[in-house]
Amino acid sequence: MIRGLYNWVLDKAAHRHAVWWLALFCFVEASFFPVPPHPLLGLMCLAEPKKALRFAAVATASSVLGGFLGYAIGWGLYDTVGEQLLAALHLTESFPVAACYLREAGFWIFVAKGATPIPFKLLTITAGFIGMNLVTFFFAAVISRAISFMIVGVLFRLFGAPIKRFIDKYLGLVTAAFIVLVVGGVLAVTLLEGGGAAQDRCAGATQVHAGPLG
């Protein structure tokens, strides 16, 4: 089923309304859709490198907006929708760990994790469930999604189609390196203030309780 959805998403890259499809997929992926929009973004940038930054900006904005839907699911619909959704996406075991880290490090852990292959929907639903401040959530979502999508846009805009092979092979490493440089230091200080206790506690988290961050 996932493979079929993946192929269906890729087919939209050649559609005359591809930009709107990109916006839609980025929006729903931030809250419940299982297929990441990055392959679609990559194909669109490959077809029109001069529009790569525009495509990446659309992806960023749409994903941030979709993140608020994920937040709403976690905040007010967890018992009726969120729990079943996480189970369907095989994210149930990851949920308590994500909640623990968001409580411990908030903004920076959201930025760091949101820019990695970790499902963004896990973070948005978790943020709503624990009641993360909406302003903090917004800025963290913007930064994390910009890192995730704009790197693709910038590389295609600068180097054009020949960069595709490099992106396919090394994008994860490039993104990870950027995250380490930008937020790694701050995140490390935040988590290590407790002498590593936060890391140990979150790594073994199995339960989570709703409520605003303390």
Side-chain angles (χ1 to χ4, degrees):
M1 177 179 139
I2 297 299
R3 173 55 59 181
L5 284 173
Y6 182 86
N7 292 334
W8 181 66
V9 169
L10 294 186
D11 286 341
K12 302 307 176 185
H15 196 278
R16 62 192 181 95
H17 297 308
V19 174
W20 290 104
W21 281 112
L22 175 65
L24 175 62
F25 289 139
C26 289
F27 181 89
V28 297
E29 188 274 336
S31 54
F32 63 86
F33 195 62
V35 179
H38 297 79
L40 175 59
L41 173 62
L43 286 178
M44 292 173 61
C45 292
L46 177 64
E48 298 185 84
K50 291 184 178 180
K51 295 182 180 180
L53 290 179
R54 175 191 170 195
F55 296 151
V58 168
T60 299
S62 302
S63 186
V64 171
L65 289 175
F68 280 97
L69 175 58
Y71 187 102
I73 291 173
W75 181 75
L77 298 172
Y78 182 77
D79 291 335
T80 57
V81 177
E83 192 171 12
Q84 291 76 11
L85 178 59
L86 291 175
L89 295 170
H90 306 290
L91 296 174
T92 300
E93 293 184 2
S94 301
F95 179 63
V97 178
C100 181
Y101 275 118
L102 284 184
R103 286 184 180 278
E104 294 290 342
F107 179 87
W108 289 110
I109 197 71
F110 194 105
V111 169
K113 298 299 184 182
T116 67
I118 290 175
F120 190 54
K121 61 190 73 63
L122 172 63
L123 296 177
T124 62
I125 293 173
T126 304
F129 185 82
I130 68 172
M132 175 180 277
N133 179 275
L134 279 174
V135 175
T136 300
F137 174 81
F138 171 73
F139 283 107
V142 169
I143 294 173
S144 65
R145 295 287 83 183
I147 293 174
S148 183
F149 295 123
M150 293 304 293
I151 286 179
V152 176
V154 169
L155 289 176
F156 268 107
R157 185 64 183 86
L158 292 177
F159 302 105
I163 198 65
K164 182 179 185 298
R165 182 176 299 178
F166 175 85
I167 289 177
D168 289 342
K169 189 173 183 179
Y170 298 111
L171 179 61
L173 293 176
V174 172
T175 303
F178 186 84
I179 293 171
V180 169
L181 290 174
V182 176
V183 304
V186 178
L187 180 60
V189 170
T190 302
L191 291 179
L192 292 176
E193 280 181 346
Q199 292 168 301
D200 294 338
R201 182 164 57 252
C202 290
T206 58
Q207 296 181 340
V208 62
H209 302 286
L213 291 167

